[in-house]
Amino acid sequence: MAQNLIGSEIIRVAGEVNAMIAKGEPICNLTIGDFNPSIYPIPEELRKGITKAYEQGHTNYPPANGVAVLRKAVVAFTKERLGLDYPENDILVAGGSRPLIYATYMALVDPGDKVVYPTPSWNNNHYCHLSGAAPVEVKTRPENNFMPTADDVKPHLKGATMLALCSPLNPTGTMFSKKDLEEICNLVLEENRSRGEGEKPLYMLYDQIYWMLTFGNAEHYDPVSLRPEMRDYTVYIDGTSKCFAATGVRVGYAFGPTVVMDKMKSILGHVGAWAPKAEQVAMAEFLEQPAEVDGFMNEFKPKVQESLNVLYNGFQELKSEGFSVDAIEPMGAIYLSAKLDLAGKTTPDGKTLETSQDITFYVLHKAKLAVVPFSAFGTGKDLNWFRLSVGGASLDAIKEALGRLREALQKLK
């Protein structure tokens, strides 16, 4: 498994980006799904709370499933904000969402089991490799905002163990419509009704880590709210790292069926993937201050949305000028789906751009704009769509990069 594990393409691109930045080049870095703290600091009350928790001596091991005050706060927060009512014992806290996704795979998936997931999507190919799953990739289309439909997944659910979904979606910044998610839930329930006694159910892993970051008229939907019967089959992945710009604070949580959550607790108890105790204590205190939460979000969301809108409008302007680019209007998360349909074009030094990787590095070196191709999220290298993540760049840097991109596009033949 280790010999054949593929490294992150995002990290590879970021390595070249960082090397160029170290040389003093003015790179607009839109590669990492992270936040620059100088642009997007965490909530002030949360920062103070973390400091206070350390001063109070919260430096020992937390309980393996999360400190009780945080799990209670998550129960209240999830019920109040999403209408999802889960008991405290079904909440599992970890150091961000990654260990929780890994634990879901390890708890549910035996080697050779089918795991169905759309492409592009974040890291499911790697989690399949780590767990020994048989990956079933479902191609999505820009016409449906790269979100899977019931018709897309239906042929693949028979005999599958897990359907892994995410909304708002990393890498696209798009979301499920109510209708599409309802129809997919109906398929999952239908498949489970068809299975015999003792046969493993079909579970849904539902990653909603970005649910608080939605824009315009976009509305977040989740499986159990739409179809209460999905409660027996849905493991939610959630947390605070994205909605509070607190990626380094590392407080994620999951909730779902008791029988699954108990096994996930055992797995992570052995791995030791808990969030630091002080951060857990501080996050519990912050979640119980709705006025502080809302005050932060009322400033944070418009700032993220403005950067996404500037990018989107910039691509639409380039498109109107006749360049082979496009973008999907941002709906959620911190990502813009952008098309740079430059394959077959020739660079000033005579090189023909053939793959999305070629385009990535042309744009990086000529426009000083760092983006990630969808091939890093499981698509083919001939799909010339890219993820642009706005959390690490200032609005001014984005505007300047759009100007450089126009110049780089003009130089292609």
mmCIF file of all heavy atoms in Angstrom, residues 252-290:
data_model
loop_
_atom_site.group_PDB
_atom_site.id
_atom_site.type_symbol
_atom_site.label_atom_id
_atom_site.label_comp_id
_atom_site.label_asym_id
_atom_site.label_seq_id
_atom_site.Cartn_x
_atom_site.Cartn_y
_atom_site.Cartn_z
ATOM 1 N N GLY A 252 -12.294 19.188 14.093
ATOM 2 C CA GLY A 252 -13.331 18.627 13.246
ATOM 3 C C GLY A 252 -14.207 17.696 14.059
ATOM 4 O O GLY A 252 -13.834 17.282 15.159
ATOM 5 N N TYR A 253 -15.369 17.371 13.524
ATOM 6 C CA TYR A 253 -16.223 16.406 14.203
ATOM 7 C C TYR A 253 -17.088 15.667 13.201
ATOM 8 O O TYR A 253 -17.357 16.153 12.092
ATOM 9 C CB TYR A 253 -17.085 17.063 15.290
ATOM 10 C CG TYR A 253 -17.825 18.319 14.884
ATOM 11 C CD1 TYR A 253 -19.070 18.259 14.269
ATOM 12 C CD2 TYR A 253 -17.271 19.572 15.160
ATOM 13 C CE1 TYR A 253 -19.752 19.416 13.921
ATOM 14 C CE2 TYR A 253 -17.949 20.734 14.808
ATOM 15 C CZ TYR A 253 -19.194 20.656 14.193
ATOM 16 O OH TYR A 253 -19.854 21.798 13.853
ATOM 17 N N ALA A 254 -17.490 14.469 13.598
ATOM 18 C CA ALA A 254 -18.362 13.634 12.781
ATOM 19 C C ALA A 254 -19.515 13.154 13.643
ATOM 20 O O ALA A 254 -19.415 13.104 14.877
ATOM 21 C CB ALA A 254 -17.594 12.438 12.215
ATOM 22 N N PHE A 255 -20.627 12.803 12.997
ATOM 23 C CA PHE A 255 -21.743 12.199 13.718
ATOM 24 C C PHE A 255 -22.520 11.306 12.754
ATOM 25 O O PHE A 255 -22.489 11.503 11.538
ATOM 26 C CB PHE A 255 -22.654 13.254 14.358
ATOM 27 C CG PHE A 255 -23.085 14.376 13.455
ATOM 28 C CD1 PHE A 255 -24.287 14.319 12.774
ATOM 29 C CD2 PHE A 255 -22.292 15.510 13.312
ATOM 30 C CE1 PHE A 255 -24.704 15.359 11.957
ATOM 31 C CE2 PHE A 255 -22.693 16.562 12.495
ATOM 32 C CZ PHE A 255 -23.897 16.480 11.811
ATOM 33 N N GLY A 256 -23.182 10.305 13.318
ATOM 34 C CA GLY A 256 -23.890 9.351 12.486
ATOM 35 C C GLY A 256 -24.443 8.212 13.307
ATOM 36 O O GLY A 256 -24.599 8.337 14.536
ATOM 37 N N PRO A 257 -24.722 7.068 12.674
ATOM 38 C CA PRO A 257 -25.296 5.925 13.388
ATOM 39 C C PRO A 257 -24.388 5.468 14.529
ATOM 40 O O PRO A 257 -23.169 5.368 14.361
ATOM 41 C CB PRO A 257 -25.397 4.845 12.298
ATOM 42 C CG PRO A 257 -25.356 5.587 11.002
ATOM 43 C CD PRO A 257 -24.520 6.790 11.237
ATOM 44 N N THR A 258 -24.985 5.172 15.663
ATOM 45 C CA THR A 258 -24.209 4.807 16.856
ATOM 46 C C THR A 258 -23.260 3.655 16.589
ATOM 47 O O THR A 258 -22.088 3.686 17.007
ATOM 48 C CB THR A 258 -25.163 4.437 18.008
ATOM 49 O OG1 THR A 258 -26.025 5.557 18.260
ATOM 50 C CG2 THR A 258 -24.390 4.098 19.275
ATOM 51 N N VAL A 259 -23.737 2.630 15.893
ATOM 52 C CA VAL A 259 -22.907 1.439 15.666
ATOM 53 C C VAL A 259 -21.647 1.793 14.876
ATOM 54 O O VAL A 259 -20.583 1.206 15.104
ATOM 55 C CB VAL A 259 -23.728 0.345 14.951
ATOM 56 C CG1 VAL A 259 -24.164 0.790 13.551
ATOM 57 C CG2 VAL A 259 -22.952 -0.960 14.874
ATOM 58 N N VAL A 260 -21.762 2.757 13.963
ATOM 59 C CA VAL A 260 -20.603 3.174 13.174
ATOM 60 C C VAL A 260 -19.702 4.095 13.990
ATOM 61 O O VAL A 260 -18.476 3.940 14.003
ATOM 62 C CB VAL A 260 -21.046 3.872 11.873
ATOM 63 C CG1 VAL A 260 -19.824 4.319 11.058
ATOM 64 C CG2 VAL A 260 -21.923 2.950 11.040
ATOM 65 N N MET A 261 -20.319 5.035 14.686
ATOM 66 C CA MET A 261 -19.525 6.001 15.448
ATOM 67 C C MET A 261 -18.708 5.317 16.538
ATOM 68 O O MET A 261 -17.570 5.699 16.818
ATOM 69 C CB MET A 261 -20.424 7.070 16.066
ATOM 70 C CG MET A 261 -21.224 7.901 15.058
ATOM 71 S SD MET A 261 -20.258 8.532 13.657
ATOM 72 C CE MET A 261 -19.058 9.548 14.500
ATOM 73 N N ASP A 262 -19.277 4.271 17.161
ATOM 74 C CA ASP A 262 -18.525 3.544 18.193
ATOM 75 C C ASP A 262 -17.259 2.924 17.629
ATOM 76 O O ASP A 262 -16.197 2.932 18.270
ATOM 77 C CB ASP A 262 -19.411 2.464 18.819
ATOM 78 C CG ASP A 262 -20.431 3.026 19.788
ATOM 79 O OD1 ASP A 262 -20.306 4.207 20.167
ATOM 80 O OD2 ASP A 262 -21.364 2.280 20.168
ATOM 81 N N LYS A 263 -17.342 2.387 16.408
ATOM 82 C CA LYS A 263 -16.153 1.791 15.780
ATOM 83 C C LYS A 263 -15.154 2.865 15.354
ATOM 84 O O LYS A 263 -13.935 2.675 15.474
ATOM 85 C CB LYS A 263 -16.564 0.932 14.582
ATOM 86 C CG LYS A 263 -17.434 -0.256 14.944
ATOM 87 C CD LYS A 263 -16.766 -1.157 15.964
ATOM 88 C CE LYS A 263 -17.637 -2.346 16.327
ATOM 89 N NZ LYS A 263 -17.055 -3.157 17.421
ATOM 90 N N MET A 264 -15.667 3.976 14.870
ATOM 91 C CA MET A 264 -14.779 5.073 14.501
ATOM 92 C C MET A 264 -14.037 5.614 15.721
ATOM 93 O O MET A 264 -12.847 5.952 15.639
ATOM 94 C CB MET A 264 -15.567 6.182 13.806
ATOM 95 C CG MET A 264 -16.053 5.805 12.408
ATOM 96 S SD MET A 264 -17.197 7.021 11.680
ATOM 97 C CE MET A 264 -16.173 8.500 11.632
ATOM 98 N N LYS A 265 -14.726 5.686 16.859
ATOM 99 C CA LYS A 265 -14.067 6.103 18.103
ATOM 100 C C LYS A 265 -12.906 5.175 18.435
ATOM 101 O O LYS A 265 -11.811 5.619 18.820
ATOM 102 C CB LYS A 265 -15.061 6.094 19.260
ATOM 103 C CG LYS A 265 -16.136 7.149 19.222
ATOM 104 C CD LYS A 265 -17.099 6.931 20.389
ATOM 105 C CE LYS A 265 -18.387 7.702 20.219
ATOM 106 N NZ LYS A 265 -19.362 7.394 21.292
ATOM 107 N N SER A 266 -13.134 3.878 18.299
ATOM 108 C CA SER A 266 -12.076 2.911 18.624
ATOM 109 C C SER A 266 -10.886 3.068 17.701
ATOM 110 O O SER A 266 -9.724 3.022 18.138
ATOM 111 C CB SER A 266 -12.638 1.486 18.528
ATOM 112 O OG SER A 266 -13.663 1.288 19.470
ATOM 113 N N ILE A 267 -11.160 3.256 16.412
ATOM 114 C CA ILE A 267 -10.079 3.408 15.444
ATOM 115 C C ILE A 267 -9.239 4.644 15.769
ATOM 116 O O ILE A 267 -8.005 4.582 15.862
ATOM 117 C CB ILE A 267 -10.646 3.496 14.009
ATOM 118 C CG1 ILE A 267 -11.231 2.143 13.592
ATOM 119 C CG2 ILE A 267 -9.572 3.936 13.018
ATOM 120 C CD1 ILE A 267 -12.080 2.203 12.338
ATOM 121 N N LEU A 268 -9.905 5.785 15.961
ATOM 122 C CA LEU A 268 -9.154 7.009 16.230
ATOM 123 C C LEU A 268 -8.533 7.011 17.618
ATOM 124 O O LEU A 268 -7.527 7.684 17.852
ATOM 125 C CB LEU A 268 -10.057 8.228 16.039
ATOM 126 C CG LEU A 268 -10.454 8.533 14.597
ATOM 127 C CD1 LEU A 268 -11.121 9.893 14.499
ATOM 128 C CD2 LEU A 268 -9.264 8.479 13.650
ATOM 129 N N GLY A 269 -9.114 6.243 18.536
ATOM 130 C CA GLY A 269 -8.491 6.103 19.845
ATOM 131 C C GLY A 269 -7.120 5.478 19.749
ATOM 132 O O GLY A 269 -6.192 5.852 20.483
ATOM 133 N N HIS A 270 -6.966 4.535 18.830
ATOM 134 C CA HIS A 270 -5.654 3.904 18.626
ATOM 135 C C HIS A 270 -4.723 4.790 17.797
ATOM 136 O O HIS A 270 -3.506 4.785 18.002
ATOM 137 C CB HIS A 270 -5.824 2.540 17.953
ATOM 138 C CG HIS A 270 -6.443 1.508 18.835
ATOM 139 N ND1 HIS A 270 -5.857 1.080 20.008
ATOM 140 C CD2 HIS A 270 -7.604 0.819 18.732
ATOM 141 C CE1 HIS A 270 -6.629 0.172 20.586
ATOM 142 N NE2 HIS A 270 -7.694 0.001 19.834
ATOM 143 N N VAL A 271 -5.299 5.549 16.878
ATOM 144 C CA VAL A 271 -4.473 6.424 16.039
ATOM 145 C C VAL A 271 -4.012 7.659 16.820
ATOM 146 O O VAL A 271 -2.919 8.172 16.605
ATOM 147 C CB VAL A 271 -5.267 6.853 14.774
ATOM 148 C CG1 VAL A 271 -4.505 7.892 13.975
ATOM 149 C CG2 VAL A 271 -5.558 5.625 13.911
ATOM 150 N N GLY A 272 -4.858 8.121 17.752
ATOM 151 C CA GLY A 272 -4.506 9.314 18.529
ATOM 152 C C GLY A 272 -4.623 10.592 17.731
ATOM 153 O O GLY A 272 -3.775 11.474 17.835
ATOM 154 N N ALA A 273 -5.692 10.691 16.944
ATOM 155 C CA ALA A 273 -5.832 11.832 16.033
ATOM 156 C C ALA A 273 -6.707 12.930 16.606
ATOM 157 O O ALA A 273 -7.427 13.600 15.880
ATOM 158 C CB ALA A 273 -6.419 11.341 14.708
ATOM 159 N N TRP A 274 -6.653 13.125 17.933
ATOM 160 C CA TRP A 274 -7.531 14.106 18.536
ATOM 161 C C TRP A 274 -7.031 15.533 18.321
ATOM 162 O O TRP A 274 -5.853 15.778 18.094
ATOM 163 C CB TRP A 274 -7.687 13.834 20.032
ATOM 164 C CG TRP A 274 -6.410 13.504 20.750
ATOM 165 C CD1 TRP A 274 -5.394 14.335 21.052
ATOM 166 C CD2 TRP A 274 -6.031 12.214 21.245
ATOM 167 N NE1 TRP A 274 -4.399 13.668 21.723
ATOM 168 C CE2 TRP A 274 -4.772 12.349 21.853
ATOM 169 C CE3 TRP A 274 -6.647 10.957 21.258
ATOM 170 C CZ2 TRP A 274 -4.098 11.286 22.460
ATOM 171 C CZ3 TRP A 274 -5.976 9.901 21.854
ATOM 172 C CH2 TRP A 274 -4.714 10.066 22.441
ATOM 173 N N ALA A 275 -7.983 16.456 18.417
ATOM 174 C CA ALA A 275 -7.631 17.871 18.412
ATOM 175 C C ALA A 275 -7.036 18.228 19.774
ATOM 176 O O ALA A 275 -7.409 17.645 20.793
ATOM 177 C CB ALA A 275 -8.878 18.716 18.142
ATOM 178 N N PRO A 276 -6.115 19.202 19.846
ATOM 179 C CA PRO A 276 -5.542 19.601 21.130
ATOM 180 C C PRO A 276 -6.639 20.014 22.108
ATOM 181 O O PRO A 276 -7.636 20.632 21.729
ATOM 182 C CB PRO A 276 -4.641 20.780 20.768
ATOM 183 C CG PRO A 276 -4.326 20.592 19.330
ATOM 184 C CD PRO A 276 -5.531 19.953 18.729
ATOM 185 N N LYS A 277 -6.435 19.696 23.360
ATOM 186 C CA LYS A 277 -7.474 19.915 24.361
ATOM 187 C C LYS A 277 -7.831 21.400 24.511
ATOM 188 O O LYS A 277 -9.015 21.758 24.616
ATOM 189 C CB LYS A 277 -7.032 19.343 25.714
ATOM 190 C CG LYS A 277 -8.136 19.389 26.775
ATOM 191 C CD LYS A 277 -7.672 18.804 28.093
ATOM 192 C CE LYS A 277 -8.775 18.870 29.145
ATOM 193 N NZ LYS A 277 -8.291 18.435 30.465
ATOM 194 N N ALA A 278 -6.831 22.261 24.533
ATOM 195 C CA ALA A 278 -7.112 23.691 24.722
ATOM 196 C C ALA A 278 -7.989 24.229 23.591
ATOM 197 O O ALA A 278 -8.916 25.017 23.824
ATOM 198 C CB ALA A 278 -5.808 24.474 24.809
ATOM 199 N N GLU A 279 -7.693 23.808 22.373
ATOM 200 C CA GLU A 279 -8.492 24.246 21.234
ATOM 201 C C GLU A 279 -9.927 23.723 21.333
ATOM 202 O O GLU A 279 -10.885 24.426 20.989
ATOM 203 C CB GLU A 279 -7.848 23.776 19.927
ATOM 204 C CG GLU A 279 -6.748 24.690 19.422
ATOM 205 C CD GLU A 279 -5.413 24.501 20.131
ATOM 206 O OE1 GLU A 279 -5.367 23.837 21.191
ATOM 207 O OE2 GLU A 279 -4.398 25.026 19.631
ATOM 208 N N GLN A 280 -10.089 22.496 21.839
ATOM 209 C CA GLN A 280 -11.426 21.949 22.007
ATOM 210 C C GLN A 280 -12.223 22.746 23.045
ATOM 211 O O GLN A 280 -13.390 23.082 22.828
ATOM 212 C CB GLN A 280 -11.359 20.479 22.430
ATOM 213 C CG GLN A 280 -10.822 19.538 21.365
ATOM 214 C CD GLN A 280 -11.073 18.090 21.745
ATOM 215 O OE1 GLN A 280 -12.165 17.738 22.184
ATOM 216 N NE2 GLN A 280 -10.071 17.232 21.572
ATOM 217 N N VAL A 281 -11.593 23.026 24.157
ATOM 218 C CA VAL A 281 -12.269 23.783 25.219
ATOM 219 C C VAL A 281 -12.673 25.169 24.711
ATOM 220 O O VAL A 281 -13.803 25.643 24.941
ATOM 221 C CB VAL A 281 -11.354 23.902 26.456
ATOM 222 C CG1 VAL A 281 -11.933 24.882 27.478
ATOM 223 C CG2 VAL A 281 -11.137 22.529 27.090
ATOM 224 N N ALA A 282 -11.768 25.821 23.995
ATOM 225 C CA ALA A 282 -12.055 27.161 23.482
ATOM 226 C C ALA A 282 -13.152 27.129 22.423
ATOM 227 O O ALA A 282 -14.013 28.018 22.380
ATOM 228 C CB ALA A 282 -10.781 27.771 22.906
ATOM 229 N N MET A 283 -13.136 26.109 21.572
ATOM 230 C CA MET A 283 -14.152 26.017 20.533
ATOM 231 C C MET A 283 -15.529 25.784 21.135
ATOM 232 O O MET A 283 -16.535 26.331 20.661
ATOM 233 C CB MET A 283 -13.811 24.902 19.540
ATOM 234 C CG MET A 283 -14.695 24.896 18.301
ATOM 235 S SD MET A 283 -14.554 26.410 17.308
ATOM 236 C CE MET A 283 -12.919 26.176 16.581
ATOM 237 N N ALA A 284 -15.591 24.978 22.191
ATOM 238 C CA ALA A 284 -16.862 24.751 22.875
ATOM 239 C C ALA A 284 -17.433 26.073 23.382
ATOM 240 O O ALA A 284 -18.627 26.372 23.204
ATOM 241 C CB ALA A 284 -16.671 23.778 24.033
ATOM 242 N N GLU A 285 -16.571 26.866 23.989
ATOM 243 C CA GLU A 285 -17.008 28.157 24.535
ATOM 244 C C GLU A 285 -17.476 29.087 23.419
ATOM 245 O O GLU A 285 -18.479 29.797 23.554
ATOM 246 C CB GLU A 285 -15.852 28.786 25.312
ATOM 247 C CG GLU A 285 -16.214 30.043 26.076
ATOM 248 C CD GLU A 285 -15.045 30.543 26.920
ATOM 249 O OE1 GLU A 285 -14.486 29.746 27.696
ATOM 250 O OE2 GLU A 285 -14.713 31.732 26.781
ATOM 251 N N PHE A 286 -16.762 29.069 22.281
ATOM 252 C CA PHE A 286 -17.109 29.956 21.170
ATOM 253 C C PHE A 286 -18.443 29.556 20.538
ATOM 254 O O PHE A 286 -19.272 30.421 20.224
ATOM 255 C CB PHE A 286 -15.996 29.947 20.126
ATOM 256 C CG PHE A 286 -16.249 30.894 18.979
ATOM 257 C CD1 PHE A 286 -16.245 32.260 19.195
ATOM 258 C CD2 PHE A 286 -16.500 30.411 17.711
ATOM 259 C CE1 PHE A 286 -16.487 33.148 18.148
ATOM 260 C CE2 PHE A 286 -16.740 31.276 16.655
ATOM 261 C CZ PHE A 286 -16.740 32.656 16.878
ATOM 262 N N LEU A 287 -18.660 28.252 20.328
ATOM 263 C CA LEU A 287 -19.903 27.796 19.708
ATOM 264 C C LEU A 287 -21.127 28.163 20.547
ATOM 265 O O LEU A 287 -22.240 28.273 20.012
ATOM 266 C CB LEU A 287 -19.873 26.279 19.488
ATOM 267 C CG LEU A 287 -18.912 25.753 18.423
ATOM 268 C CD1 LEU A 287 -18.991 24.233 18.350
ATOM 269 C CD2 LEU A 287 -19.196 26.370 17.058
ATOM 270 N N GLU A 288 -20.919 28.348 21.832
ATOM 271 C CA GLU A 288 -22.035 28.694 22.718
ATOM 272 C C GLU A 288 -22.275 30.197 22.801
ATOM 273 O O GLU A 288 -23.058 30.661 23.641
ATOM 274 C CB GLU A 288 -21.764 28.117 24.114
ATOM 275 C CG GLU A 288 -21.821 26.583 24.133
ATOM 276 C CD GLU A 288 -21.391 25.995 25.458
ATOM 277 O OE1 GLU A 288 -20.717 26.707 26.235
ATOM 278 O OE2 GLU A 288 -21.715 24.826 25.712
ATOM 279 N N GLN A 289 -21.629 30.956 21.914
ATOM 280 C CA GLN A 289 -21.829 32.405 21.841
ATOM 281 C C GLN A 289 -22.389 32.767 20.460
ATOM 282 O O GLN A 289 -21.645 33.204 19.572
ATOM 283 C CB GLN A 289 -20.521 33.148 22.090
ATOM 284 C CG GLN A 289 -19.868 32.864 23.438
ATOM 285 C CD GLN A 289 -18.526 33.557 23.576
ATOM 286 O OE1 GLN A 289 -18.438 34.778 23.717
ATOM 287 N NE2 GLN A 289 -17.463 32.771 23.545
ATOM 288 N N PRO A 290 -23.681 32.568 20.232
ATOM 289 C CA PRO A 290 -24.246 32.777 18.891
ATOM 290 C C PRO A 290 -24.031 34.178 18.346
ATOM 291 O O PRO A 290 -23.826 34.355 17.137
ATOM 292 C CB PRO A 290 -25.740 32.471 19.081
ATOM 293 C CG PRO A 290 -25.985 32.509 20.552
ATOM 294 C CD PRO A 290 -24.701 32.110 21.194
#
